[in-house]
Amino acid sequence: MNDDHDHDEHKHEHKHEHKHEHKHEEKSPQAIRTEALESLLIEKGLLSEHAVDNVITNYAQRVGPMNGALLVARAWTDPEFKQRLLSNATQAIAEYDFKGGQVDHLVVVENTPERHNAVVCTLCSCYPWAVLGLPPKWYKDPAYRSRIVREPRTLLAEMGLSLDTNIEIRVWDSSAEVRYMVLPMRPENTDNLTQDELAALVSRDSMIGVEVLSQAGQSS
């Protein structure tokens, strides 16, 4: 799937929520059911609040997106690993034994000066949890899932990422069979940084493809 020049006739007027979510946003039916089930399990003594918090913390802080950032930083500094990562990501990351799953069929796509990649799941919200952590709410939003395919350049600009018109945008559709991760371009003037320092520059959103990393390592 290529950029929105091929899909101008499909302009979508629904306003995207972006990454800045409303504090008083109504909860979805799925969220309400999840909270009700969680409360019931805790009340019955089958689940503890500590266990729930631990799972959330594990995905949000301990696994992905730090795992993904580690892979990106190594790829930036290790050409042989980068080649293996781009050729067969599932096999390349096996040595890390990441916990969490959803990376049995992982594909990593590389951003270049000529091409920018972005990831979506148009059918639901398939996402490589083990390397990117918890999916952001906007990733599951129907507006993002439809507009990133139909008008990626416009949507990315609304999300704060304006790309030159000469840069091709390619959108990769994750599914139950395969999940994608973006290898962002290395920021300039970072030759003196260690792998750990480089990993600290990598954001989750840059690995989804809705941000690029600036010279200072800040998302833009």
Side-chain angles (χ1 to χ4, degrees):
M1 288 176 281
N2 292 322
D3 68 14
D4 51 300
H5 295 299
D6 297 328
H7 302 281
D8 285 343
E9 68 275 16
H10 297 294
K11 292 297 181 181
H12 196 290
E13 295 181 355
H14 183 76
K15 186 176 181 181
H16 181 66
E17 184 180 39
H18 301 307
K19 287 168 274 187
H20 304 292
E21 300 149 7
H22 299 295
K23 291 183 179 180
H24 303 293
E25 178 185 4
E26 292 185 5
K27 293 180 180 179
S28 67
Q30 294 88 347
I32 294 172
R33 286 196 296 269
T34 299
E35 289 186 2
L37 179 59
E38 177 186 328
S39 297
L40 180 62
L41 291 174
I42 292 174
E43 181 180 337
K44 297 293 185 181
L46 301 175
L47 186 68
S48 69
E49 291 185 21
H50 174 73
V52 174
D53 292 342
N54 207 33
V55 170
I56 293 174
T57 299
N58 190 46
Y59 275 105
Q61 299 180 15
R62 299 178 195 138
V63 303
M66 290 182 289
N67 288 343
L70 177 65
L71 298 175
V72 169
R74 182 174 174 187
W76 285 343
T77 57
D78 184 342
E80 188 272 336
F81 176 75
K82 176 182 176 180
Q83 183 58 47
R84 289 195 289 120
L85 187 67
L86 295 175
S87 298
N88 189 329
T90 301
Q91 188 176 80
I93 70 173
E95 64 188 80
Y96 288 93
D97 194 26
F98 289 143
K99 305 299 182 182
Q102 309 296 349
V103 289
D104 291 340
H105 302 284
L106 178 67
V107 174
V108 175
V109 292
E110 181 183 13
N111 281 350
T112 69
E114 296 77 30
R115 173 183 289 180
H116 181 84
N117 298 284
V119 177
V120 68
C121 178
T122 56
L123 294 178
C124 51
S125 55
C126 292
Y127 184 85
W129 288 46
V131 292
L132 296 186
L134 293 172
K137 185 177 293 186
W138 54 260
Y139 182 84
K140 299 178 282 186
D141 187 337
Y144 173 79
R145 287 156 47 191
S146 62
R147 292 189 64 205
I148 193 65
V149 174
R150 296 176 179 174
E151 47 181 359
R153 196 177 302 275
T154 299
L155 178 59
L156 290 174
E158 290 178 12
M159 298 178 75
L161 175 56
S162 297
L163 297 171
D164 291 340
T165 56
N166 62 334
I167 298 177
E168 176 193 5
I169 301 175
R170 184 160 186 183
V171 179
W172 300 84
D173 194 356
S174 291
S175 68
E177 286 73 37
V178 60
R179 289 168 174 80
Y180 294 94
M181 184 186 106
V182 175
L183 174 61
M185 289 190 293
R186 179 172 177 168
E188 297 180 355
N189 300 325
T190 57
D191 293 344
N192 61 328
L193 300 185
T194 66
Q195 275 194 26
D196 287 343
E197 291 170 332
L198 288 170
L201 304 181
V202 182
S203 69
R204 175 203 63 195
D205 288 359
S206 71
M207 294 182 284
I208 298 176
V210 298
E211 289 181 343
V212 295
L213 303 174
S214 71
Q215 176 177 325
Q218 299 297 319
S219 300
S220 63

